[in-house]
Amino acid sequence: MTTNWWQDCVVYQIYPRSFQDSNGDGIGDILGIIQRLDYLQSLMIDAIWLSPIFLSPMADFGYDVSDYCTVDPVFGTEEDVLLLINEAHKRNIRVLFDMVLNHTSIEHPWFIESRQSRDNEKSNFYIWSDTIPNNWYAAFGGRAWTYDTNRKQYYLHSFLPQQPDLNWRNPKVVEAVFEQLAFWLDKGIDGFRLDVINCIIKDEALRNNPKIIGSRPRPYDMQRHIFDRNRPESHQKLKMMRKFIDKYDQRMLVGEILVEMPGEPELAASYLGLHHDELHLCFDFSLAYTRFSAARWKKVAKRWYEAVGKHRVPTWVLNNHDLPRIISRLHGNEEKARLAAMFLLTQRGAIFLYYGEELGLPNSKISRSAMHDPLGKRYWPFHPGRDPERGPMIWNTGEGNGFTTGESWLAFANAANRYSVENQELETESMLQFYRRLLALRKEDEVLRNGLCTFVDTTNTHILAYCREIEADQRLIVLNMSAKQITCSIPMLQVKDMQCEIMFATDGVRPEQIESPHAITIGGYQGRIYRLVDNR
Ligand code: GLC
Ligand code: CA
């Protein structure tokens, strides 16, 4: 039985600049999202998460907020947001905002006041120092400390100099931040995605991070971030935040835990709180960081399930606005992308999709001169920037691809014909129809949403197989992650003499067809979902 909506939800992330433009300025907006709510409802998703829509000078495209309670005019008005919440709720879709609470924009009134003098009301809202106190670097380039000529001190910024870090050790900051959350909670928002939430507290003594040997293009990657991230006190703050949000009914917090490749599931899980008293959900990116392979995916998924444990909720994600799109990571191989989707949507817990993922939309090709992303601008060609994965949605093949009547702010992926929603709706075997079928199956099958997951051994290492179960009700998922046809058996099931009834297959095998676990034959990059039937 589902008790909390997020425990088995599917969340669809929207990068608002690129979803739907309603006024022809080439940039997606809130009214545009409202126009597409029927489409979102038809996907059977449970919630949407919008990347930041608040007032911002856009140095980091909204991840630099200058007022948390004002909607940036490029996206619309507060009225539009309230309409969006209302219209989404009518369709049983919840709405999550992206809160960037580690830092504000340099143009936030708190920072403007803080930099005025060393003794104003907001003077300790940020982290100031007379000299550069340590060896910390900013993730987006350069030292993490920038001199302010006004205050004649340095301030800390973990990202751009235009993104000063808030001082979460100051209780007034915590109080002020909670007020911003309350503003939207009172207006009916269903929860928040919390940006880089493991970074909010820094070492009290601002100690040096230990260095890493070797060489990497970004100095930030040459250190172990033990003093500027994951400080023990961050857990206290999240416990406070959880208490605060739990005063409201059924609101959810999902945190982004900033980590390097290959990911660190135990660290991510620690932010759920030992007693479920921190975040409701948090991201672990291990799967997204892991090469497509049965053995590797099994290993990372097992580790994540173990880290989270049976009583807390894991999240599963392949794409977001910071990662190259999955289909591009898979060099355009749609069969592999379908298997990846099948894996994702047959896991226990909360699933996060990124707009366009359901179309198999690839990265846009962005030339250096057309680049917007500050990370790409700074580290090109080592980092191609994050614009490619932020390309606009392709709704149809008309001018502006149904996204805009004007000129899009960012290039579309090539081959609109193939990727447009309109065309994929007409084709029964399109990626979109594939996602729809899987999403519908998940929605109707309690076992696929909430059943415990146990990975099972097979006689072939290219096969990824796992059971999902709620008491006697069992499913078996078998994914052939290699290019060749394989016949394998599943010893664990033979013992029990189970029969396998097909519920879903990528290779056109008829549903309800019965197979024996003694010999499952499955084509290259094909996958099946079975209902297990006990013969005894
Ligand atoms: C997070 C966001 C990313 C942003 C950064 C700084 O990692 O996902 O897009 O640039 O935080 O706010
Ligand atoms: Ca617009």
Side-chain angles (χ1 to χ4, degrees):
M1 264 288 293
T2 304
T3 47
N4 294 315
W5 69 268
W6 57 85
Q7 83 181 40
D8 55 3
C9 63
V10 177
V11 180
Y12 184 98
Q13 181 191 353
I14 291 175
Y15 194 71
R17 294 184 81 83
S18 295
F19 195 62
Q20 178 66 59
D21 176 22
S22 72
N23 61 355
D25 67 355
I27 302 177
D29 44 54
I30 306 289
L31 290 178
I33 299 173
I34 297 174
Q35 289 170 17
R36 297 299 182 182
L37 281 173
D38 289 334
Y39 169 75
L40 293 168
Q41 185 184 23
S42 77
L43 292 177
M44 300 207 190
I45 50 125
D46 302 291
I48 51 177
W49 141 32
L50 312 187
S51 281
I53 49 152
F54 311 115
L55 197 66
S56 165
M58 305 286 167
D60 188 18
F61 293 91
Y63 286 90
D64 50 324
V65 178
S66 51
D67 182 351
Y68 297 95
C69 302
T70 302
V71 177
D72 195 282
V74 83
F75 296 123
T77 62
E78 184 177 323
E79 210 184 334
D80 299 345
V81 165
L82 299 183
L83 185 65
L84 170 67
I85 297 176
N86 199 10
E87 288 297 316
H89 285 175
K90 277 191 205 159
R91 293 167 177 83
N92 279 323
I93 298 174
R94 310 204 187 226
V95 184
L96 308 173
F97 278 170
D98 201 326
M99 287 308 248
V100 189
L101 306 175
N102 174 69
H103 45 269
T104 67
S105 158
I106 201 162
E107 291 183 19
H108 195 290
W110 296 341
F111 190 76
I112 294 175
E113 190 175 342
S114 191
R115 79 192 316 184
Q116 287 312 313
S117 64
R118 299 184 188 193
D119 54 10
N120 63 71
E121 252 195 41
K122 302 279 186 298
S123 57
N124 290 325
F125 259 51
Y126 296 82
I127 302 166
W128 294 95
S129 171
D130 289 337
T131 52
I132 294 182
N134 58 27
N135 67 353
W136 297 357
Y137 281 102
F140 291 169
R143 292 286 203 139
W145 300 92
T146 290
Y147 190 66
D148 181 63
T149 47
N150 212 13
R151 226 174 113 143
K152 303 199 170 35
Q153 278 185 313
Y154 293 86
Y155 65 88
L156 176 72
H157 52 89
S158 300
F159 296 90
L160 293 173
Q162 295 94 321
Q163 294 168 300
D165 282 32
L166 282 164
N167 175 16
W168 275 74
R169 289 183 183 274
N170 177 353
K172 293 224 170 88
V173 166
V174 179
E175 202 181 298
V177 160
F178 286 9
E179 272 170 28
Q180 318 301 306
L181 299 179
F183 179 85
W184 291 112
L185 290 166
D186 291 336
K187 296 201 152 50
I189 200 76
D190 297 288
F192 305 103
R193 178 263 187 188
L194 302 172
D195 193 64
V196 296
I197 200 66
N198 58 326
C199 300
I200 54 174
I201 294 269
K202 282 80 185 174
D203 181 47
E204 190 148 33
L206 302 173
R207 280 172 283 180
N208 281 334
N209 280 327
K211 292 187 186 122
I212 289 174
I213 2 184
S215 87
R216 306 206 183 142
R218 194 170 66 151
Y220 184 79
D221 299 320
M222 295 296 300
Q223 301 186 342
R224 283 182 54 221
H225 293 279
I226 60 176
F227 292 121
D228 55 352
R229 289 187 203 162
N230 306 315
R231 300 309 300 159
E233 300 91 326
S234 50
H235 294 280
Q236 286 165 13
K237 303 297 174 209
L238 288 180
K239 286 190 175 90
M240 289 169 67
M241 203 192 279
R242 174 64 177 263
K243 275 211 183 103
F244 179 78
I245 198 166
D246 277 353
K247 286 193 256 166
Y248 296 79
D249 193 30
Q250 290 286 303
R251 314 296 172 96
M252 185 269 273
L253 297 173
V254 51
E256 180 203 21
I257 310 301
L258 187 66
V259 286
E260 276 78 39
M261 288 184 184
E264 215 181 316
E266 297 75 18
L267 174 78
S270 75
Y271 285 97
L272 298 171
L274 267 183
H275 305 288
H276 307 219
D277 51 357
E278 296 184 30
L279 300 170
H280 302 89
L281 301 175
C282 64
F283 292 113
D284 167 57
F285 297 113
S286 306
L287 181 70
Y289 290 161
T290 302
R291 235 180 52 209
F292 184 89
S293 121
R296 287 165 204 258
W297 278 32
K298 176 174 168 180
K299 198 168 147 199
V300 297
K302 270 178 92 166
R303 188 169 156 199
W304 180 222
Y305 276 125
E306 270 157 34
V308 170
K310 285 184 190 162
H311 302 293
R312 300 185 298 183
V313 183
T315 58
W316 301 91
V317 58
L318 290 169
N319 287 282
N320 66 30
H321 62 294
D322 297 326
L323 293 170
R325 287 180 174 272
I326 176 92
I327 187 87
S328 300
R329 302 203 303 267
L330 295 171
H331 308 289
N333 187 324
E334 285 202 9
E335 285 189 317
K336 285 189 183 176
R338 283 175 197 230
L339 272 199
M342 207 163 156
F343 179 83
L344 196 76
L345 288 163
T346 52
Q347 300 306 318
R348 175 177 79 84
I351 314 298
F352 283 75
L353 303 177
Y354 183 55
Y355 79 99
E357 181 175 338
E358 75 279 23
L359 307 174
L361 191 72
N363 281 354
S364 289
K365 290 200 171 58
I366 310 285
S367 66
R368 191 182 181 185
S369 58
M371 203 173 325
H372 293 274
D373 179 29
L375 186 61
K377 283 186 174 167
R378 175 89 190 210
Y379 287 112
W380 194 89
F382 300 108
H383 197 301
R386 297 168 297 176
D387 298 309
E389 57 261 30
R390 298 174 180 180
M393 187 71 173
I394 299 181
W395 297 100
N396 60 44
T397 54
E399 213 167 311
N401 291 328
F403 164 67
T404 182
T405 52
E407 200 182 321
S408 172
W409 76 286
L410 197 63
F412 292 94
N414 292 334
N417 237 347
R418 177 143 171 219
Y419 298 116
S420 83
V421 171
E422 200 174 83
N423 285 1
Q424 293 203 21
E425 297 281 17
L426 299 172
E427 230 186 279
T428 50
E429 294 309 319
S430 64
M431 186 68 91
L432 176 58
Q433 305 290 14
F434 179 77
Y435 266 84
R436 278 192 193 292
R437 286 196 288 270
L438 268 176
L439 285 160
L441 183 66
R442 181 177 174 89
K443 183 109 254 177
E444 77 199 20
D445 192 19
E446 168 79 18
V447 183
L448 286 181
R449 294 197 315 275
N450 287 308
L452 284 183
C453 180
T454 316
F455 287 86
V456 295
D457 290 330
T458 74
T459 47
N460 190 303
T461 52
H462 294 300
I463 299 281
L464 181 56
Y466 44 99
C467 270
R468 304 287 315 279
E469 58 195 299
I470 297 181
E471 288 159 15
D473 213 355
Q474 294 189 313
R475 309 286 173 267
L476 169 69
I477 294 98
V478 181
L479 309 175
N480 178 355
M481 293 179 73
S482 76
K484 292 203 183 104
Q485 175 170 304
I486 289 173
T487 299
C488 70
S489 64
I490 303 199
M492 193 275 280
L493 301 173
Q494 284 167 351
V495 177
K496 296 190 189 158
D497 193 23
M498 290 279 204
Q499 272 197 344
C500 309
E501 192 184 296
I502 291 181
M503 294 174 81
F504 184 94
T506 54
D507 51 359
V509 185
R510 283 194 328 277
E512 260 117 74
Q513 186 174 318
I514 308 282
E515 276 187 307
S516 145
H518 295 279
I520 291 179
T521 297
I522 184 161
Y525 299 134
Q526 304 303 315
R528 310 228 178 102
I529 303 173
Y530 299 96
R531 179 182 285 112
L532 294 183
V533 189
D534 200 333
N535 267 344
R536 286 169 298 179

